Amino acid sequence: MLGLSAVLAYEAVGEIDPIGTAHAEEMPKGGNLRIGMRCMEIKSPHLADFAERSNVIRQVCEYLTFTGRDNITRPYLLEKWEVSDDLKTWTLHIRKDVKWHSGRPLTADDVVWNLKRVSDPAVGSSVLGLFTGYLVEEYDTGEKDKDGKPKKSSRLWSDKAIEKVDDHTVRLNAFAPQIAVPEHLFHYPMFIIDPAENGVFGPGSNGTGPFELVEFTVGKSAKYKARTDYWGSGPYLDTFEFVDLGDNPGAQIAAMASRQVDGLSEADAVQINAMKNFPHVAVHKVDTTQTAVARMHPDQKPFNDKRVRQALRLAVDHDKVIQTVLLGAGTSAEDHHVSPTHPEYAALPKYGKDVDKAKKLLADAGYPDGFEIDMVTRPDPIWELNTVQVLAEQFKDIGVRINIKSLPSAQYWDVWTSVPFSLTAWGHRPLGIMTLSLAYRSNAAWNESNYSNPEFDKLLIEAEGILDPKQRSLVMAKIEALMQDDGPIVQPFWRIFSTVMDKKVTGFKLHPSQYIFANEYAVAAA
């Protein structure tokens, strides 16, 4: 059920209609839908780094695959895929009924161009971190950095790594086995975009999706009109709109109360409590691997001593953080970024808050009186700032004094990979190996901590090539233990994801990745 065979996955879950056409005749037609969501600057679809950015793009451009709410990945722009027994050769068959908005068919040339573009380190896509280890290899450039260390870069391991077979078939020829190819193809920025637009996105952009973007203003709104020639299910709406309601959580509540918007892309526990009794509002929740990590730079003092990193992990009472920040709407994490809901999760011995042990570790590292340091965060969404405040109070118990630096989101994302200590929210991923390859593989674009551990990288590549989740969990146990011992994060919880939608909205199902699929939604007549 991990994407190797769509047929087996469909049989396992009784799935017979992966693109949702079965109930189309029952959906009301027409109308406009408005969802409150931040409208961020978009530099390129292949650089999308948040659900909000990808949601704006997703209505116009689409993915080769689709990972559903059940965590099973199915073909989407693909008709099917085939994989060799050694998990190194993936043959992707493109649907023949898909056309770009401009009218020309989607072809293998389009897909090859997109796959090669995200594999180019000059583009800066986080997909590169996923492809590293099976399609992309690191190499020594022959140059030195400012510290005299060899400079490394990345490239496709072979000119046949991404191969056009015919007009509707693409083959991936990997140098190592990889089970998560279908999941990688549904990663935030792995959109299939028109090569003629060379990565630029805005009103009027070409795509294969159900809507056309007609207006986009950063910090204000994104407006769409429905396509009548869409190849898939829907759209049932005439028009659709994202409305930016700003950072203030109270403004979002007020917008729902006054019906300025018909729903929100996300609502935290406090907002849910305020809105759950509105007569026109329905609350939606889904279990997810969404989380937040307090991440440290192991290459900068005081975090260059792993005993300091260990001490901070031992300073945290996870349950208290969950109750205070999430009002109980979460589960305890274990400081290794692999969730019990991930199929390859390995249960390790539990440990909790241990102030005495943490203080001894700090003393042994040369900080008997603790230390003072800035911790960077952002005010939106408010649960992130609240998490930092609770962690700061708990770090006081071991003598670590935190100066909270709350930056506007735009400023935060300018420095999120460079500051020594910060808190970052991470979205849902269906597989633990996918999260780890994005966040902690050496030189990955989203490796915000600059963590680099050859043993970790080696174990991750090994895990990515093991099909059986039980066998993969044996390797994952080693990775998780390594992260608890050496890793760069303090991770207090897994968050239950929730939002609200007007009861007149039909077809809405909350996706664990916070993805919005407006072609699936309709507005019931008043």
Side-chain angles (χ1 to χ4, degrees), residues 19-220:
I19 61 171
T21 58
H23 304 290
E25 69 280 357
E26 303 171 9
M27 298 290 281
K29 307 296 193 297
N32 179 52
L33 178 64
R34 302 155 300 174
I35 293 180
M37 187 189 75
R38 295 309 307 266
C39 294
M40 305 174 177
E41 179 186 9
I42 296 174
K43 295 180 179 178
S44 170
H46 288 159
L47 297 179
D49 50 6
F50 275 89
E52 291 87 349
R53 284 191 174 97
S54 68
N55 278 336
V56 171
I57 303 163
R58 183 172 296 104
Q59 317 311 318
V60 177
C61 302
E62 298 182 296
Y63 300 94
L64 294 173
T65 61
F66 181 95
T67 303
R69 297 173 79 251
D70 54 12
N71 246 22
I72 293 175
T73 303
R74 302 165 172 83
Y76 202 74
L77 289 178
L78 296 182
E79 177 180 81
K80 63 178 180 178
W81 59 75
E82 297 161 346
V83 62
S84 61
D85 290 340
D86 63 3
L87 300 174
K88 291 183 180 180
T89 305
W90 289 79
T91 304
L92 312 178
H93 298 273
I94 301 163
R95 294 181 66 101
K96 297 179 176 64
D97 58 343
V98 178
K99 291 186 177 181
W100 295 93
H101 294 172
S102 62
R104 69 177 181 84
L106 174 69
T107 67
D109 289 326
D110 298 317
V111 172
V112 167
W113 181 88
N114 277 270
L115 294 173
K116 287 186 175 180
R117 186 173 190 271
V118 298
S119 302
D120 182 353
V123 172
S125 176
S126 60
V127 180
L128 182 65
L130 295 177
F131 285 179
T132 298
Y134 70 103
L135 287 178
V136 170
E137 64 179 1
E138 287 192 332
Y139 69 97
D140 191 331
T141 65
E143 301 177 358
K144 305 286 186 181
D145 63 18
K146 58 182 177 62
D147 298 320
K149 297 179 180 179
K151 279 188 177 181
K152 292 187 176 182
S153 188
S154 301
R155 64 190 176 195
L156 288 171
W157 79 279
S158 164
D159 59 2
K160 297 291 186 181
I162 300 171
E163 177 188 12
K164 175 184 174 182
V165 178
D166 58 42
D167 284 347
H168 286 89
T169 311
V170 174
R171 184 167 293 134
L172 306 181
N173 300 299
F175 65 84
Q178 175 58 253
I179 67 161
V181 170
E183 284 73 22
H184 292 175
L185 298 179
F186 192 60
H187 175 45
Y188 283 170
M190 193 57 258
F191 291 104
I192 300 302
I193 62 177
D194 186 353
E197 296 182 345
N198 200 31
V200 176
F201 181 83
S205 282
N206 201 16
T208 61
F211 290 89
E212 178 182 345
L213 180 64
V214 295
E215 184 181 321
F216 179 59
T217 304
V218 174
K220 184 179 178 182

Side-chain angles (χ1 to χ4, degrees), residues 33 35 59 210-211 235-237 240 242 516-522:
L33 178 64
I35 293 180
Q59 317 311 318
F211 290 89
Y236 310 109
L237 302 165
F240 173 70
F242 287 118
I516 298 293
F517 305 97
N519 63 300
E520 298 179 357
Y521 316 151

